[in-house]
Amino acid sequence: MRMGELAQARLGGGRRVAVVGGGIAGLGAAWLLSRHDQVTLFEAGSYVGGHTNTIDVTVEGHTHPVDTGFLVFNRRTYPNLCALFAQLGVESVDSEMSFGVSLADPAIEWAGSDLGTVFAQRSNLMRPAFIGMLRDILRFNRETTRMASEGRMPASSLGEYLDRERYGSAFRDWYLLPMAAAIWSCPTRTMLDYPLSTFVRFCHNHGLLQILDRPQWRTVKGGGREYVAKILAQLPDVRVASPVLRVDREPHQVRIHSRHGAECFDEVVFACHSDQTLALLGAGASADERRILGAVSYQANTAIVHTDPSLLPQRRKVWSAWNYMAGEGRADARPVSVSYLINRLQPLPFETPVVVSLNPFRAPRAEHVLRTIHYAHPVFDQAAIDAQAALPTIQGRQRSWFAGAWMGYGFHEDGLKSAVAVAAALGARIPWQLATTTVSEGLQA
């Protein structure tokens, strides 16, 4: 029986559906399913939103919301998210996606906003390796755009491709790997193992391989918690600080164990990380579930919200929305971090720079620290990509469904896209009717 038929066979109205996890995937699935089913959303943490984590900061006597995880989106590559925001009446404002690099060894700083920021460090004009980097950027964009347009890409990792095509070390270490590590919140060495086809497809779809006609990025007015609040206002049963302890699947029901006791549901949507799902299933996980869900690994990341400008490039002209910072040492071993300058990403009512530094290799001064937050991001190596392709084979089995940004590229649109596919397979109507793919297609990257 196909997955759509499997779900349809259980329809009858008024099903009880448990959604485990309150990030974008869980919120999206719960909101879509709640129009027909009795949905209970379980969130282990102290707030609902997952990587949509808006906090209030007080600077210069003003208190204002600041996003620390999910920050920006655009209308071209986030169609489901934009459609959801339209349904909810969520307002947004223009943002930017400028990118700057600051290296200690060699001492190089530059940003890609315009020629003035590219050569903000005037000595770069006389540095042959830097000029070679710029040529390689144009060559890489041209060649990978051709690959994406033709749909023919070598079956290799990003690192293998760079070596085979003789791209310079300056291009790799001063541009491509810093940019990729900043986007995926992972070490640069991890990006070398990233499948080339997936990397190119993402960059092409998000306009990162073109100089002109890039999408306009936007941010939620008032912070991402605004859309979370609008969804929660329409969900009657949300359990915050209620971690699911165990999930037992029986022939005719699913038993969810939490601090509220044991409760029975008709279906369960696991909208949490795949390793968390396996922990909840325990010995009850099937061999296929262990093989597929267990193939995805995660990178622990620490985000420090602060006002210390020393964790930004030395040259103020290089300050960008995303700032890649690297200390001394070999390119594959030096300490690295990313500093997001929130003043560039969101409209803040103060001049003091508010920064979110991810895994800073030098701690900001204590008097500047506003908050420390811990996140985990999926690692998209070949094992994870293969798991994504195999995932549809276990969807809906034993009344269990899986959703999450880890099923795509790791971003908000991916989490919502997976929720749309699961909700559609369970018979929910998608108000914006973007989910025209089958559930198998919708759950792949």
Side-chain angles (χ1 to χ4, degrees), residues 129-176:
F130 190 85
I131 302 303
M133 176 198 76
L134 299 179
R135 285 197 298 265
D136 274 348
I137 290 175
L138 296 176
R139 177 163 72 100
F140 183 83
N141 289 357
R142 181 177 63 252
E143 291 301 313
T144 52
T145 295
R146 178 184 55 79
M147 290 181 197
S149 300
E150 295 176 356
R152 293 186 298 174
M153 281 172 271
S156 66
S157 69
L158 178 61
E160 290 168 342
Y161 174 75
L162 296 178
D163 289 341
R164 185 172 62 250
E165 298 301 320
R166 300 180 181 276
Y167 281 94
S169 59
F171 167 78
R172 183 190 64 215
D173 299 331
W174 302 351
Y175 167 70
L176 189 67

Side-chain angles (χ1 to χ4, degrees), residues 263-307:
E263 300 172 83
C264 295
F265 294 86
D266 298 299
E267 311 280 344
V268 59
V269 178
F270 292 100
C272 48
H273 287 170
S274 53
D275 57 346
Q276 295 171 330
T277 297
L278 284 178
L280 295 179
L281 292 175
S286 69
D288 285 339
E289 287 170 338
R290 287 193 293 272
R291 174 177 57 85
I292 295 171
L293 300 179
V296 183
S297 58
Y298 295 84
Q299 167 75 32
N301 291 305
T302 299
I304 302 181
V305 187
H306 63 89
T307 57

Side-chain angles (χ1 to χ4, degrees), residues 225-367:
R225 67 183 178 194
E226 293 296 315
Y227 90 77
V228 174
K230 288 179 181 290
I231 291 179
L232 292 180
Q234 300 180 38
L235 299 179
D237 190 4
V238 178
R239 316 275 183 88
V240 185
S242 298
V244 171
L245 306 175
R246 190 174 83 247
V247 177
D248 295 327
R249 296 175 297 184
E250 302 167 2
H252 303 295
Q253 63 185 8
V254 177
R255 196 179 300 273
I256 305 291
H257 299 264
S258 72
R259 64 181 176 86
H260 303 281
E263 300 172 83
C264 295
F265 294 86
D266 298 299
E267 311 280 344
V268 59
V269 178
F270 292 100
C272 48
H273 287 170
S274 53
D275 57 346
Q276 295 171 330
T277 297
L278 284 178
L280 295 179
L281 292 175
S286 69
D288 285 339
E289 287 170 338
R290 287 193 293 272
R291 174 177 57 85
I292 295 171
L293 300 179
V296 183
S297 58
Y298 295 84
Q299 167 75 32
N301 291 305
T302 299
I304 302 181
V305 187
H306 63 89
T307 57
D308 188 347
S310 69
L311 271 70
L312 292 170
Q314 295 179 20
R315 294 166 178 81
R316 193 179 182 100
K317 194 171 185 178
V318 177
W319 286 9
S320 304
W322 297 30
N323 302 273
Y324 176 85
M325 314 289 293
E328 297 182 354
R330 297 195 325 268
D332 62 346
R334 62 191 176 197
V336 300
S337 63
V338 180
S339 287
Y340 305 96
L341 181 54
I342 306 301
N343 309 62
R344 292 286 184 91
L345 290 159
Q346 297 181 301
L348 302 184
F350 25 75
E351 293 297 323
T352 300
V354 176
V355 183
V356 176
S357 289
L358 201 64
N359 304 324
F361 54 85
R362 179 177 57 77
R365 288 169 288 183
E367 65 270 22

